[in-house]
Every structure is written in C-alpha cells, then in structure tokens.
Amino acid sequence: MGWIGLSDCHSAVFRRGGLQEGAAPTIGAPVDQMLANGSFWIEFNAHVDQTRHNILKYGARDPDVSGLTISLEPDATITVMIGKGERYESFCLPTDLDGRENSVLLGISWCLGTRTINLAMLSPDTGHFHHAELRGIVPLSTRDWRRVIESHHHTQVDTSVNFWAVSDVVEPFGISATFGANCWVETPRGRTAVADLRPGQFIKTIDGDLAQIRWVGSQVLPARGRFTPHLIRAPYFGAEHDIVMSAEQRLCLQGSEIEYVFGLEKVGVRVSQMQNTRSILPVKGVPTVEYHQLLLDRPAIFSVSGVNVSGLDPWIHTSDPTTLRHSLIRDLPHELIPAFEPMEMYQLKPFESASLNR
C-alpha cells in the first residue's frame, strides 16, 4: 500500500487505506493488529548540546501500555525506544552531528518476518548518512500509529520537527526521486516524458554529449519538508512550461549574473532555496506526491523541460553497499551502478542564494 499517516505542525491525516488520491478506504480493518512491515520517517532540525532532546514521545495505556520515544543524545547518538506491554527495547544509531543546526531525516523501517529494524539518518545540509541494521520488532498496532500521527494527547513532538509520517511497507531510504510526471528530457529521438524513459536509452546533456540511463523509477513521498513539491513557473529558469520538482532537486545556474556575483561559470542550488512568490512556489494541500528519477552512467547536467539540473548522485549507497538493499535503486544490479566522483560544482548556501532571489 504505502503512506497511511502524515502530520506536521498544521495538520494531521491518517487513512488505513492510504493517503494517495483515489486510495480505497479500508473498512473493518482490525485496529489492534500489529503492522508487520512498515516505515516511520521524521524530519527535524538537529542541534547537539549537553542536553538530551526528545524529538518525539508517544505513550498510551489503553487498551495496552505502549510507547515510542526518539531522542538525540549529547554524544550525537539517536536513540529509539519502542515497546508494548512489559517489553521495551532500545535501538541506537551513532552519528557525527555536531553543535551546528542541521536538517535531518530519520527513517525507521521494520520487517516482522526477518525480525529486523533498520535505522538510517540523512542530513541533506552536510551530506552525512548513517545506517544500522538491528535485530528486533516494532510491536505497535494500527491504533498506536493513528495516535502517533493524530493525537496531541498521546504524542508530543519537539518544536524542531517539520513532519512525521508512517507507511505500512518498507520504504526505500536515501537518494530519492525528484521530478514530477509532467517533466520531459531531450533524447536523440526527441523529447520524452520522464515517466516514459527506459534503462539503456540516451539523453542529451547541456554540453552536447550523450549520457546513458542506467536506471529509472518512481517513488511516492510525503509532500512535506525536503520532499515538498514546488511549481517552477515558465519561463523562469528556462522552463518551457510549468513543471513540478521536489524541494531538494538541485538546479544548475549559469550566466553573466552568476559569474559577476560568485566569480564562477556555474553553481548548484536546491529548488527550495529559490522559492519566492513569482518563479518557484510550494504546492500545498496534498499529503503525498509521486516523483520520477533517473540514474545516468556519469555525472552530467541536463535539461528537464528547459530547466538545467544536475543528475542523481548515488554516492550515499556506493560508499556503503550495505545500504543498497534498502535504497531506491535496490533492484539495480551492482555491476551497473556507476562509480563516479561527485560533480565538482559549487553549491550555494542559503544566504548566498538569497542574493539571487530578491
């Protein structure tokens, strides 16, 4: 199925039949049944100091004692304590977070059949990725997860939290899809929608070369935080029509203004950094969004509906192959995963991109 619950500081929704548009309602589903497989994601701004911070704390006593606590420790370890009845377990994920404030996405996924729990943390600001595969189960029921998402009486979250969401399947974690279905790319045979691309095809890069597609796929994500869909309005940034991209997709900016301000031929910037009231606007009012993605055989900058973007970089998973089986490209044979160095392109910091967004 997929995402069944989503909450932020403004709203909360839980539907056992799924959050996607057109999902059929589930009638008569047992609320006390444990989710055998699932994922729980929470995005927050992490700041390590001498204090233990409870990022999220859930507790209930009816009909059973149950709880979930996610904490950031003074030594930068993320601790997850979870349990039901008399059995509580604690799981730890060491990180290298420091005193600087960083946006963090924490993913918890579980599979009852293998009795495994995967903890993973990604910091888009620093590029740091941490992962641990542990033995254990997540015994919380559908009733518990509904309360985690919807009940302020049972669940308290830190003010640093941007959103939290639960799925009833093991969601791929790490690199993510970023292009809306209405995007197209240039191929030797003409313009092709990203949803229609296939592995083995070639696309045109902005330097006039060809790059081969190794993998294509799609992903449904919570439409919050770093996954918030953004509308890029034509003709800004070269867009030939209005298109949707994820907040975290990196644009490639170049031209005389870039050279004058930064002394560089081209720079990279996240879509969310260029958000304003004219050219790039967040899309609101939807709980989930489906994005598409492609992986090329080399680093490249290419045009998506006229907007220059940098290609997907799989470094997170090539640097730690154990994370591949939990990733978006988990079905790609290992020998086809390109092993290339990250593209050398300066990435603008938020205060730098602000100078272009006035």
Side-chain angles (χ1 to χ4, degrees), residues 65-88:
V65 175
S66 56
L68 168 67
T69 302
I70 299 172
S71 305
L72 179 61
E73 308 293 343
D75 65 354
T77 296
I78 294 177
T79 302
V80 177
M81 182 175 290
I82 191 165
K84 200 171 187 69
E86 297 181 356
R87 180 177 178 177
Y88 273 72

Side-chain angles (χ1 to χ4, degrees), residues 214-276:
R214 292 287 179 86
W215 172 92
V216 293
S218 63
Q219 182 180 24
V220 175
L221 291 165
R224 299 292 186 275
R226 61 190 292 242
F227 308 119
T228 299
H230 281 65
L231 178 69
I232 302 179
R233 300 174 62 191
Y236 296 102
F237 301 97
E240 296 192 19
H241 61 97
D242 293 354
I243 58 174
V244 171
M245 289 188 189
S246 167
E248 66 172 350
Q249 174 59 48
R250 294 186 185 274
L251 308 179
C252 174
L253 307 182
Q254 52 190 344
S256 58
E257 182 181 9
I258 298 300
E259 292 186 18
Y260 177 78
V261 175
F262 302 106
L264 298 168
E265 181 182 349
K266 58 180 178 291
V267 297
V269 62
R270 289 195 187 97
V271 166
S272 59
Q273 290 177 242
M274 302 305 293
Q275 175 183 322
N276 53 40

Side-chain angles (χ1 to χ4, degrees), residues 1-8 11-20 33-43 56 58 68 70 82 105-110 138-151 155 161 163-172 220-224 227 287-288:
M1 191 179 300
W3 298 103
I4 58 175
L6 172 66
S7 187
D8 59 21
S11 61
V13 58
F14 187 96
R15 291 199 293 265
R16 189 63 184 89
L19 299 183
Q20 282 186 270
Q33 183 176 350
M34 182 171 60
L35 286 186
N37 305 301
S39 301
F40 180 74
W41 290 5
I42 184 168
E43 184 183 86
L56 180 144
Y58 161 74
L68 168 67
I70 299 172
I82 191 165
L105 180 69
L106 175 68
I108 307 169
S109 63
W110 61 92
V138 174
L140 300 186
S141 66
T142 300
R143 185 199 304 271
D144 289 317
W145 286 116
R146 178 182 290 276
R147 288 171 169 174
V148 169
I149 295 297
E150 293 186 332
S151 175
T155 305
V161 173
F163 79 86
W164 60 106
V166 63
S167 170
D168 61 1
V169 299
V170 176
E171 300 285 350
V220 175
L221 291 165
R224 299 292 186 275
F227 308 119
T288 62

